[in-house]
Amino acid sequence: MRVLLVEDDRMIGESIEEALRGENYAVDWVRDGHSAELAFSTQSYDLMLLDLGLPKKNGLDVLHHYRKQGGDIPVLVITARDAKASRIEGLDAGADDYLIKPFDIDELMARIRAVLRRHRGHIHSIITHAGVTMNLATHEVTLDGLIVHLSAREFSVLRALLDSGSNVVSKMQLEDKIYGWGDEVESNAIDVYIHHLRKKLGADFIKNVRGVGYKLTAEK
Ligand code: CA
């Protein structure tokens, strides 16, 4: 899961970034409206967190522009307490939810899970595939009911594969999902995470599609 965070307030931005990383999201943080547009025109994201009061171009204009050009990822708007009109405008402009400053960071994380879930048509926070379950709220992963311990990156790779269902995911797509701009991308890292996941979840759980990428096997 890769999130575009658009927030010009340094302290708020830092605390959101830290919380997102703590929940295994890759994060790209930009601080003005122009940089936001540059980011989503060059990189694909799973979610945008958008402050409305921004330098250079305000959040509402950014959102209008994004939806107008067909952008369809969930957008969660972050706005000041007194800006009721802009909240309504934000929702009308295509925001999926909003949160008023100052907000509780745990509530923000729960709202993020909820909009991502709705976007994917899931009713609850547990994804299941062939005996493996992933709880997005608690980050617990189980195999046949037993807890499996995964590193943050292993969790992110598994989540990307689970989100893709039976579709093949390329190595580059996986890298896109788990690394933000500032993160160092180690070569072969994806192969290593896949190797660990197979050891923990079963050798046949993840199939290598030669020259294309990886997919989950349909049955155990
Ligand atoms: Ca602001």
Side-chain angles (χ1 to χ4, degrees):
M1 286 280 126
R2 187 162 178 165
V3 175
L4 177 62
L5 168 61
V6 191
E7 171 61 78
D8 60 314
D9 184 293
R10 195 169 62 85
M11 274 176 63
I12 295 174
E14 278 175 358
S15 72
I16 296 176
E17 186 184 39
E18 191 190 327
L20 285 168
R21 289 186 191 281
E23 299 215 354
N24 305 332
Y25 295 95
V27 189
D28 293 336
W29 177 15
V30 296
R31 294 160 177 80
D32 66 73
H34 286 169
S35 306
E37 292 186 340
L38 184 65
F40 63 63
S41 63
T42 53
Q43 176 68 51
S44 70
Y45 293 97
D46 300 288
L47 176 92
M48 175 158 45
L49 288 180
L50 180 65
D51 179 33
L52 291 186
L54 290 170
K56 295 188 183 168
K57 185 166 189 175
N58 76 53
L60 271 181
D61 290 342
V62 170
L63 181 56
H64 271 298
H65 177 68
Y66 177 69
R67 290 297 189 220
K68 207 171 152 191
Q69 64 176 39
D72 64 351
I73 61 164
V75 176
L76 206 156
V77 157
I78 306 165
T79 177
R81 181 168 292 282
D82 51 357
K84 186 179 168 207
S86 53
R87 289 206 300 276
I88 294 165
E89 270 185 278
L91 290 170
D92 284 339
D96 295 86
D97 198 1
Y98 66 84
L99 211 53
I100 300 163
K101 293 179 189 176
F103 51 80
D104 181 79
I105 202 83
D106 291 334
E107 183 181 354
L108 174 63
M109 293 299 129
R111 297 278 191 109
I112 289 172
R113 288 194 295 273
V115 293
L116 287 172
R117 205 160 64 213
R118 283 202 297 271
H119 188 67
R120 283 155 201 278
H122 294 152
I123 303 161
H124 49 67
S125 285
I126 297 173
I127 311 175
T128 307
H129 187 98
V132 172
T133 69
M134 172 179 278
N135 186 320
L136 301 175
T138 63
H139 297 107
E140 209 170 78
V141 172
T142 66
L143 171 64
D144 296 330
L146 298 173
I147 290 180
V148 179
H149 296 283
L150 300 182
S151 72
R153 289 270 159 79
E154 288 162 13
F155 182 96
S156 299
V157 169
L158 178 61
R159 177 159 191 191
L161 289 168
L162 285 168
D163 278 337
S164 311
S166 53
N167 295 321
V168 179
V169 189
S170 73
K171 200 181 278 189
M172 200 186 276
Q173 285 171 321
L174 288 173
E175 284 176 353
D176 259 7
K177 294 278 185 196
I178 70 171
Y179 296 110
W181 290 329
D183 298 327
E184 197 185 325
V185 183
E186 318 97 280
S187 64
N188 290 330
I190 298 292
D191 299 314
V192 173
Y193 299 137
I194 295 283
H195 176 71
H196 290 164
L197 286 170
R198 281 180 175 145
K199 266 170 94 171
K200 293 174 182 181
L201 301 173
D204 298 329
F205 186 65
I206 300 167
K207 193 176 162 198
N208 194 355
V209 183
R210 195 171 292 277
V212 188
Y214 300 97
K215 64 182 277 189
L216 298 182
T217 45
E219 70 281 342
K220 258 160 102 177

